[in-house]
Amino acid sequence: MKKVFIILALLVVTLAMGAQETIRLTGTKKGTDTQVSVKNIQVARTSEKTLLTMDFILDELDVPSNRYRAFTPVIRSKDGQHEQRLKTLIVSGRRQDIVFDRDGVDPLYADNCDRIRRTKGEAQRYEYADAVANQPWHRNADVFVECDLCGCGDQLKNEQSFLASLLPPDPYDLIALTDVVPDPYKPTRQLHGTAFINFVVNKWEMRPDYMDNRNELRKITDTLDIMVRDRNVTVRQIKIHGWASPESPYEHNRMLATNRAKSLTDWVRQQYNLPASVFAPAEATPENWIGLRNAVVEMDYSILPHRDEILSIIDDTSLEPDPREQKLKKTYPDEYQYLLKNVYPHLRRSDYEISFDIRNFTLEEAKEVYRVRPYQLSLRELWDVANTFEKGSDAYNRCLQTAANLYPDSTAALINLANVAIRQHDLLKAETLLQHAGDSAEADNARAVVAIIQERYDEADRLLAAAERKGLDVSANRAALAEMTK
């Protein structure tokens, strides 16, 4: 028979992406053009199978009534030592199709083929798919399509057109991530703040209209106003701690700081209809040497030329507070006056701590709260809301990002968000999150997955072993590591 001439076009296919390029097979026999297009070629390997899908576009394929055309994908190793034939597609003319029904298909293809009849002159497409057991030699092998366009069954007269190279398996198709289900416990929360309440010299009467007190008091009342109106919130405790600056005798400062803290506590108590047990006994620190030291450390030598010497006096706890303050005042009088005027007023402050509970929500309630006040949800409630969305969806990912934003110290939140980043192929973000995610089995597993993807196989092996010792089933990632290192 006359040899069929085939024009080849190179197509490179990458794993995890469906190729949209086209190859065109053209045969000429007795002046008749025979053309086939092959589109949407996708070749991939998993840990168990080598997969091939593509579309044969038969719109221009000419098949005489008594002939057929056969297309057989073939996997061949780079060295040519191994070859594996996949399922054959046979496209037959009308009379040949009848013959096949009566006598059977050509023995060359009979064991593994799909048959279709060419609808002459009409558009026609065949979606081809086949899978074969994975073989070690498949790695980096080439995939061809063997084309019998003469319909003679003579393999020596067939031509082969290159389709793709089998790249190593995509690690993202093999790895397994383990999320952490957060503890359902919802702890009491604390809100901390500082108000700079002004008192008349040597007095402790609470005067809301004195100097800037009204604005400073709003720091406390604006927060409490919101809490007492919110049916989801229960205020458990309000604690106020007063601080005085180091000038004047220590015992006098103790008396002022203690009474001023009590006065502020009583004033807040009078503003709200809350149980008396909510208000903790007022506390005080007579002299705020901590705040003074912090302020001095931040100052430039141009402002405090003897900054280091002043810090040495502040840190000299062998001296009682009053002798220490006197030494500072006498040794560096100018700088002391600067501190007295510019720093000491800020040392007289009132710290407040509001402890409160937020009630537990049903899932339906949590979904609504997430929409308007996500900060009221526990980490577990955020997790439950996230799982009402499709895993990996934008809504799911945003919910886990919110959880990590609200609970930045939670290793569970960081691990779950790192897993999101890995699924999104954002390994830099994943590694950054995992640096602070603790040493749990789930954290080690996620780090191992990143190492597998980045081809740091020895490190991945160590991390998987660590996760295994902590009781996590890492068999899927063990298999992935074995596949990637074949």
Side-chain angles (χ1 to χ4, degrees):
M1 289 212 175
K2 190 173 182 180
K3 186 174 182 179
V4 178
F5 176 70
I6 300 178
I7 300 175
L8 303 178
L10 177 65
L11 172 65
V12 177
V13 182
T14 60
L15 295 179
M17 291 183 62
Q20 299 302 317
E21 297 88 343
T22 301
I23 67 170
R24 197 169 184 83
L25 313 173
T26 302
T28 303
K29 179 178 173 62
K30 297 182 178 179
T32 301
D33 287 337
T34 299
Q35 298 181 336
V36 177
S37 295
V38 183
K39 294 184 178 180
N40 304 326
I41 305 163
Q42 191 169 33
V43 186
R45 291 179 68 218
T46 68
S47 59
E48 296 181 355
K49 298 286 186 180
T50 294
L51 314 171
L52 172 65
T53 61
M54 57 185 160
D55 294 338
F56 284 94
I57 310 303
L58 309 176
D59 301 2
E60 300 176 76
L61 176 61
D62 178 55
V63 183
S65 181
N66 61 341
R67 306 302 298 224
Y68 68 87
R69 311 293 187 226
F71 306 94
T72 307
V74 179
I75 302 173
R76 183 180 300 121
S77 62
K78 290 290 188 185
D79 60 10
Q81 298 299 308
H82 303 278
E83 183 174 286
Q84 188 172 19
R85 297 168 66 82
L86 283 73
K87 179 176 62 180
T88 298
L89 169 64
I90 295 177
V91 185
S92 58
R94 183 181 63 83
R95 292 180 184 174
Q96 186 63 59
D97 195 53
I98 294 171
V99 171
F100 283 156
D101 285 339
R102 184 188 64 208
D103 300 334
V105 178
D106 189 315
L108 180 64
Y109 309 116
D111 290 341
N112 188 21
C113 71
D114 282 346
R115 279 175 46 207
I116 62 169
R117 176 180 165 183
R118 175 72 176 105
T119 306
K120 192 170 185 179
E122 296 183 12
Q124 196 171 5
R125 174 191 294 255
Y126 180 78
E127 296 179 358
Y128 180 95
D130 196 15
V132 293
N134 210 355
Q135 302 296 329
W137 60 267
H138 282 180
R139 179 181 289 269
N140 295 322
D142 292 326
V143 182
F144 298 83
V145 59
E146 184 181 272
C147 310
D148 180 359
L149 296 180
C150 66
C152 57
D154 188 344
Q155 283 187 277
L156 294 177
K157 296 182 179 294
N158 294 344
E159 294 290 339
Q160 292 190 347
S161 182
F162 175 77
L163 291 183
S165 290
L166 279 171
L167 302 179
D170 187 340
Y172 287 98
D173 294 333
L174 305 176
I175 52 92
L177 296 165
T178 303
D179 293 325
V180 180
V181 180
D183 192 306
Y185 173 66
K186 201 167 189 176
T188 296
R189 303 188 188 190
Q190 286 83 36
L191 187 150
H192 301 268
T194 296
F196 294 93
I197 306 299
N198 294 286
F199 293 88
V200 176
V201 175
N202 289 329
K203 303 291 183 180
W204 54 83
E205 178 188 0
M206 179 68 242
R207 294 176 54 181
D209 295 325
Y210 184 64
M211 299 181 70
D212 196 36
N213 282 353
R214 186 67 66 185
N215 288 330
E216 291 299 312
L217 289 169
R218 284 199 189 99
K219 294 178 180 178
I220 304 174
T221 59
D222 285 356
T223 300
L224 280 171
D225 287 348
I226 294 172
M227 289 184 174
V228 297
R229 287 197 301 264
D230 193 331
R231 65 182 180 85
N232 297 330
V233 176
T234 300
V235 177
R236 294 299 182 192
Q237 188 178 71
I238 300 172
K239 183 188 296 184
I240 292 175
H241 187 111
W243 300 76
S245 54
E247 84 277 19
S248 298
Y250 184 85
E251 289 305 320
H252 179 72
N253 286 335
R254 181 198 299 277
M255 182 268 295
L256 282 179
T258 300
N259 286 324
R260 287 172 175 178
K262 289 179 179 178
S263 179
L264 178 57
T265 300
D266 290 340
W267 183 88
V268 174
R269 181 187 291 113
Q270 293 167 10
Q271 310 308 307
Y272 298 96
N273 184 25
L274 292 170
S277 60
V278 166
F279 295 89
E283 298 177 350
T285 298
E287 294 184 356
N288 189 0
W289 288 92
I290 296 173
L292 177 60
R293 188 186 197 286
N294 291 339
V296 171
V297 166
E298 296 296 322
M299 290 186 179
D300 191 84
Y301 288 103
S302 62
I303 297 174
L304 288 183
H306 299 94
R307 188 188 73 175
D308 294 342
E309 293 83 353
I310 290 172
L311 283 173
S312 295
I313 295 174
I314 292 172
D315 291 339
D316 185 5
T317 55
S318 66
L319 292 175
E320 292 297 321
D322 287 346
R324 199 185 325 168
E325 196 254 344
Q326 287 300 313
K327 182 178 181 180
L328 181 63
K329 182 177 181 179
K330 292 180 179 179
T331 308
Y332 305 104
D334 292 340
E335 287 155 286
Y336 175 82
Q337 288 301 318
Y338 178 88
L339 294 174
L340 191 65
K341 178 180 179 180
N342 296 283
V343 176
Y344 277 40
H346 300 285
L347 303 181
R348 307 166 196 136
R349 70 174 198 252
S350 299
D351 291 342
Y352 58 91
E353 177 186 278
I354 303 173
S355 301
F356 59 99
D357 290 334
I358 299 176
R359 72 180 180 89
N360 293 320
F361 299 103
T362 67
L363 181 57
E364 289 305 312
E365 289 173 332
K367 288 162 64 176
E368 178 60 23
V369 173
Y370 171 68
R371 190 179 65 82
V372 292
R373 293 186 295 275
Y375 55 86
Q376 291 194 342
L377 298 178
S378 68
L379 187 58
R380 175 58 177 270
E381 287 165 340
L382 285 164
W383 167 260
D384 291 338
V385 171
N387 281 279
T388 65
F389 306 118
E390 181 182 355
K391 192 166 188 175
S393 66
D394 288 344
Y396 175 90
N397 295 343
R398 281 196 303 271
C399 194
L400 292 188
Q401 179 70 65
T402 299
N405 292 344
L406 292 174
Y407 297 94
D409 297 326
S410 166
T411 57
L414 295 178
I415 291 168
N416 292 341
L417 187 59
N419 288 345
V420 168
I422 293 170
R423 295 183 185 107
Q424 294 178 323
H425 297 201
D426 190 347
L427 299 186
L428 178 60
K429 180 178 180 179
E431 287 184 298
T432 302
L433 291 166
L434 290 171
Q435 287 176 0
H436 309 282
D439 59 355
S440 68
E442 292 83 359
D444 285 338
N445 183 69
R447 295 183 185 107
V449 165
V450 172
I452 290 172
I453 295 170
Q454 294 179 337
E455 299 183 2
R456 293 182 280 114
Y457 299 130
D458 289 343
E459 180 182 348
D461 182 67
R462 291 193 300 272
L463 288 165
L464 289 176
E468 249 173 346
R469 288 193 298 270
K470 295 168 186 174
L472 187 67
D473 179 6
V474 297
S475 55
N477 289 330
R478 281 287 184 199
L481 181 60
E483 177 63 27
M484 296 304 297
T485 54
K486 280 183 179 178

